[in-house]
């Protein structure tokens, strides 16, 4: 599938911001399920944008604004080819490694080398380890069950149990609160999934990206009406040499799962421990006060 993504963010400040430093994660990377054809980013006020690779191998952009300004506009455009992994003889459906064996694989042992993905076992700011997450997850993670089957059932159960409600939460809403209220948005569901898996002792990471949505029959696609998306992925050592590089992606918002991606209609932007590692745009400002934020995202097939 060939997709075009435009992600535009606008801030309006009152009073003016005097100086600012910004960091963005808006450039997708090549993955087992996607290839980047082109990418560009525009910043106003104009700035010298620098680029590097962060600790999670994401593309990161950063810049400084040294003059007073009353607004910021960042527009990123990417063209992507997505595809499904050829499963061959190894797929999510026939991976048999139990969740307990994966937990034991990541258990700390003094004097022995650890797995490079061990950092994803520990709780993080938005996805803490807590007995409430463990209690919710345990009915899916029964003794001896394969990690794939348990994770897929947890994904489906969250999809049934939780209500998607726009603007019912914000990024500062604790995952424990969203779990208790059984409602939220995709960020909340991804953080709850992460917290459940980590509370079981399993390695899981946050994935930010986009999902192609379809307009109602007979109606044109609305420019800027889409939104960024978030989901989670869990690591299986059994699949480390597979094309998915060991990661099974889990989207409880839509009850979709798949190796390295939930599907060809998904685009991965960045991965990290939680949202704080991969925020599309963040900054430190000197001056300013009140601000307004406008975000417009369009995901469309390239042939439209």
């Amino acid at each position: 599938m060939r997709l075009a993504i435009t992600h535009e963010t606008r801030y309006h400040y009152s009073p003016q911001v005097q100086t600012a430093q910004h960091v963005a994660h808006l450039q997708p990377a090549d993955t087992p399920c996607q290839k980047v054809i082109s990418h560009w980013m525009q910043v106003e006020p104009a700035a010298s944008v620098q680029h590097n690779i962060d600790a999670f191998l994401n593309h990161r952009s950063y810049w400084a604004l040294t003059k007073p300004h009353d607004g910021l506009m960042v527009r990123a455009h990417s063209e992507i080819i997505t595809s499904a992994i050829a499963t061959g003889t190894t797929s999510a459906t026939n991976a048999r490694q139990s969740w307990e064996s994966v937990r034991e694989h990541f258990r700390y042992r003094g004097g022995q080398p650890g797995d490079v993905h061990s950092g994803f076992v520990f709780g993080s700011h938005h996805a803490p380890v807590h007995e409430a997450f463990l209690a919710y997850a345990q009915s899916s993670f029964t003794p001896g069950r394969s990690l794939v089957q348990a994770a897929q059932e947890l994904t489906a159960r969250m999809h049934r149990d939780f209500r998607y409600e726009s603007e019912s939460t914000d990024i500062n809403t604790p995952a424990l609160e969203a779990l208790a209220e059984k409602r939220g948005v995709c960020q909340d569901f991804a953080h709850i999934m992460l917290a459940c898996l980590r509370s079981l002792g399993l390695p899981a990471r946050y994935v930010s990206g986009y999902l192609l949505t379809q307009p109602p029959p007979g109606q044109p696609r609305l420019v800027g009406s889409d939104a960024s998306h978030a989901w989670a992925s869990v690591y299986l050592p059994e699949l480390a040499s597979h094309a998915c590089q060991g990661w099974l992606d889990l989207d409880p918002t839509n009850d979709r799962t798949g190796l390295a991606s939930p599907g060809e209609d998904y685009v991965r932007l960045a991965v990290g421990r939680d949202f704080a590692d991969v925020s599309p745009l963040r900054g430190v400002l000197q001056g300013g006060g009140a601000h307004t934020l406008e975000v417009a995202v369009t995901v469309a097939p390239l042939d439209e």
Side-chain angles (χ1 to χ4, degrees), residues 84-94 239 242-244 258-259:
I85 288 180
T87 57
T89 58
T90 304
S91 68
T93 56
N94 59 29
L239 300 179
H242 186 261
C244 69
L259 294 175

Side-chain angles (χ1 to χ4, degrees), residues 86-271:
T87 57
T89 58
T90 304
S91 68
T93 56
N94 59 29
R96 295 289 180 254
Q97 191 168 18
S98 71
W99 71 270
E100 295 102 328
S101 69
V102 176
R103 179 187 61 190
E104 290 302 310
H105 175 83
F106 284 93
R107 192 182 296 277
Y108 173 76
R109 294 175 176 84
Q112 298 184 28
D115 191 291
V116 68
H117 302 296
S118 294
F120 290 112
V121 175
F122 301 102
S124 59
H125 177 72
H126 293 294
V129 171
H130 192 278
E131 61 183 11
F133 298 113
L134 178 61
Y136 181 78
Q138 277 184 323
S139 65
S140 297
F141 287 78
T142 52
R145 194 173 197 185
S146 78
L147 174 53
V148 169
Q149 290 179 342
Q152 289 176 331
E153 181 181 296
L154 178 61
T155 302
R157 189 154 58 88
M158 285 188 61
H159 181 71
R160 294 192 303 269
D161 291 351
F162 289 72
R163 300 189 313 275
Y164 185 96
E165 293 186 5
S166 298
E167 301 181 0
S168 61
T169 60
D170 58 39
I171 192 54
N172 295 313
T173 301
L176 277 169
E177 181 180 322
L179 174 68
E181 296 187 358
K182 298 293 192 298
R183 65 173 184 169
V185 296
C186 59
Q187 286 179 345
D188 302 299
F189 301 162
H191 285 145
I192 292 169
M193 175 67 76
L194 293 176
C196 286
L197 294 167
R198 292 173 183 170
S199 295
L200 289 158
L202 301 171
R205 67 185 184 183
Y206 183 94
V207 188
S208 71
Y210 307 100
L211 173 61
L212 175 66
T213 57
Q214 298 297 334
Q219 296 187 25
R221 189 179 305 278
L222 298 178
V223 174
S225 64
D226 295 321
S228 55
H229 193 46
W231 59 99
S233 57
V234 64
Y235 183 75
L236 293 84
E238 177 185 7
L239 300 179
S241 61
H242 186 261
C244 69
Q245 300 172 349
W247 293 100
L248 174 69
D249 279 30
L250 312 164
D251 179 9
T253 304
N254 297 289
D255 191 15
R256 299 275 299 277
T257 66
L259 294 175
S261 173
E264 292 186 54
D265 45 350
Y266 288 72
V267 172
R268 190 176 95 188
L269 190 55
V271 298

